[in-house]
Amino acid sequence: MTRPVLLSGIQPSGQLTLGNYIGAIRNWKALEDDYDCLFLLVDLHAITVRQDPADLRRRCREFLALYIACGLNPERSQIFAQSQVRGHGHLAWILDCYAMVGELNRMTQFKDKSRKHADNINAGLFNYPVLMAADILLYQTQLVPVGDDQKQHLELTRDIAQRFNTLHGEVFTVPEPFIPPVGARIMGLQEPTAKMSKSDDAPTNAIYLLDEPKTITRKIKRAVTDTDGEVRYDPQAKPGVSNLLQIFAAVSGRDIDSLVNEYAGGGYGRLKGDLADAVVALIEPLQARYNEFQADPALLDGILTRAAENANARAEATIRRVHEVLGFLQ
Ligand code: TYM
């Protein structure tokens, strides 16, 4: 029996954060058994910001080792780097001709990144969402589990697919997003009004999956809260405490109301201490598994090569069909 296709990806830039885990990877794992999954290391996307080549190569293997340490099953799912399948860039060009400049101009991530990298606003940064659409449409993906910040890109992907299909027949499956009800936007610990990010300049703002346990505890204990001392979930008025509750709910599987009941009246100290213990309990075994996988580069390269071969064959089938409807010579 064929399972519906699920695809998602992460840029191998910076260091994987607890936000990536909660917003993306843990949902990939939860859905893995019910879907035919492809998980990408989107290195083509990563070069929209300058990367050191040796670091990029090292980070791709590191992220793969972390994916499997988080519980993804490389025997069952295809885990590979975007650059290993030439079809991504090829389809992105074709879809560029079906994406409107006005639409791309509205992408909030483009605006944010242009501000952050004002000295390098390259065309790749602008076309970034079209490459993401190509990643998804290349494999006839049905479900795309992502955090809240990717929602707008998913909507654009659906619009591009529908526009292409209206002109050329049902070539692409129109994908659905999966955005988790809890933890879709984990905020920074020092700046709880902005999302926790992999490439944060202030390392105390993010919890990295490879942080030492004592560093994690210290970061959580120093997280910015407020002065009224009341444990209550209210992201507008109390962004710091609400973010801690959100993280706690996601890592413990408990709901926010029950956490608020338990910690109400106790000040922030106990909440932070117990949250730190819960995050460390999640991350310690993950790091132990990561170290085992990292010690076996042949295993990691084997996973990538096998998956890329499988993905290439699948991508080719879509590209053949696209060429046919566009009138390209076969
Ligand atoms: P990226 O690398 O910025 O983030 C990877 C995934 O992690 C989620 N995420 C978060 N979730 C909750 N809280 C946070 N603070 C947080 N930070 C990041 C993101 O929503 C994302 O799901 N363009 C994508 C990568 C991509 C992709 C794709 C995704 C390329 N092609 C195809 C899905 C399908 C990106 O830059 O994600």
Side-chain angles (χ1 to χ4, degrees):
M1 220 179 64
T2 56
R3 291 171 294 160
V5 178
L6 177 153
L7 178 141
S8 199
I10 297 187
Q11 283 193 69
S13 55
Q15 300 186 53
L16 275 181
T17 69
L18 191 60
N20 296 127
Y21 177 80
I22 293 174
I25 303 174
R26 96 189 153 113
N27 308 308
W28 303 357
K29 179 171 156 45
L31 295 162
E32 193 178 32
D33 283 344
D34 295 329
Y35 288 84
D36 172 11
C37 297
L38 300 113
F39 299 120
L40 302 177
L41 304 152
V42 295
D43 49 1
L44 297 176
H45 276 110
I47 63 163
T48 52
V49 172
R50 299 280 173 253
Q51 303 289 337
D52 175 77
D55 279 351
L56 183 61
R57 194 169 293 126
R58 179 186 50 72
R59 236 183 281 115
C60 272
R61 294 203 180 95
E62 177 186 302
F63 277 32
L64 166 64
L66 274 167
Y67 283 8
I68 42 185
C70 288
L72 297 181
N73 179 356
E75 304 279 322
R76 181 138 213 202
S77 300
Q78 312 303 330
I79 311 178
F80 58 100
Q82 195 183 25
S83 63
Q84 291 181 298
V85 178
R86 302 286 192 268
H88 292 260
H90 182 83
L91 184 61
W93 167 256
I94 292 171
L95 297 181
D96 266 335
C97 303
Y98 293 81
M100 299 297 139
V101 167
E103 288 174 315
L104 296 178
N105 259 327
R106 284 196 292 277
M107 296 291 121
T108 55
Q109 198 157 83
F110 172 64
K111 292 183 208 167
D112 291 347
K113 289 202 174 170
S114 304
R115 238 174 278 127
K116 204 166 164 201
H117 303 282
D119 57 338
N120 181 22
I121 307 177
N122 58 68
L125 209 53
F126 187 66
N127 286 345
Y128 179 112
V130 185
L131 177 58
M132 182 162 159
D135 298 341
I136 296 168
L137 301 181
L138 197 50
Y139 302 99
Q140 308 297 345
T141 303
Q142 268 128 310
L143 195 70
V144 185
V146 281
D148 187 59
D149 61 334
Q150 298 300 317
K151 199 168 155 195
Q152 197 185 28
H153 291 162
L154 248 294
E155 279 158 12
L156 178 70
T157 301
R158 288 172 55 86
D159 289 345
I160 292 174
Q162 275 157 350
R163 186 172 301 142
F164 192 98
N165 284 352
T166 303
L167 288 164
H168 301 293
E170 293 302 305
V171 175
F172 294 123
T173 302
V174 180
E176 295 289 337
F178 174 91
I179 300 191
V182 175
R185 183 176 285 265
I186 299 298
M187 310 307 257
L189 297 181
Q190 292 302 318
E191 227 186 297
T193 48
K195 75 165 186 169
M196 183 182 284
S197 156
K198 264 190 261 105
S199 8
D200 211 307
D201 298 329
T204 50
N205 201 35
I207 294 174
Y208 301 114
L209 296 185
L210 293 178
D211 270 344
E212 298 235 351
K214 63 175 187 307
T215 309
I216 295 174
T217 301
R218 187 162 23 88
K219 286 181 178 178
I220 292 176
K221 291 200 166 158
R222 291 190 185 161
V224 165
T225 47
D226 50 51
T227 51
D228 75 16
E230 192 191 342
V231 176
R232 183 163 53 85
Y233 187 74
D234 182 346
Q236 292 300 320
K238 296 171 73 70
V241 180
S242 302
N243 188 39
L244 296 180
L245 285 166
Q246 177 119 221
I247 296 174
F248 208 163
V251 301
S252 66
R254 295 176 56 183
D255 63 49
I256 290 180
D257 286 347
S258 94
L259 290 168
V260 170
N261 281 338
E262 183 175 338
Y263 290 93
Y268 300 144
R270 191 162 67 91
L271 172 72
K272 285 180 168 179
D274 288 358
L275 170 59
D277 290 348
V279 174
V280 167
L282 170 87
I283 281 187
E284 243 173 357
L286 192 156
Q287 291 184 351
R289 289 192 296 273
Y290 166 79
N291 289 330
E292 272 173 40
F293 297 130
Q294 268 297 55
D296 195 347
L299 171 91
L300 297 177
D301 289 345
I303 290 172
L304 293 172
T305 309
R306 230 177 322 123
E309 230 169 78
N310 174 296
N312 258 307
R314 296 163 67 163
E316 254 330 288
T318 300
I319 286 176
R320 257 198 306 277
R321 176 93 181 103
V322 168
H323 280 204
E324 189 185 314
V325 299
L326 290 178
F328 292 168
L329 296 174
Q330 297 286 332

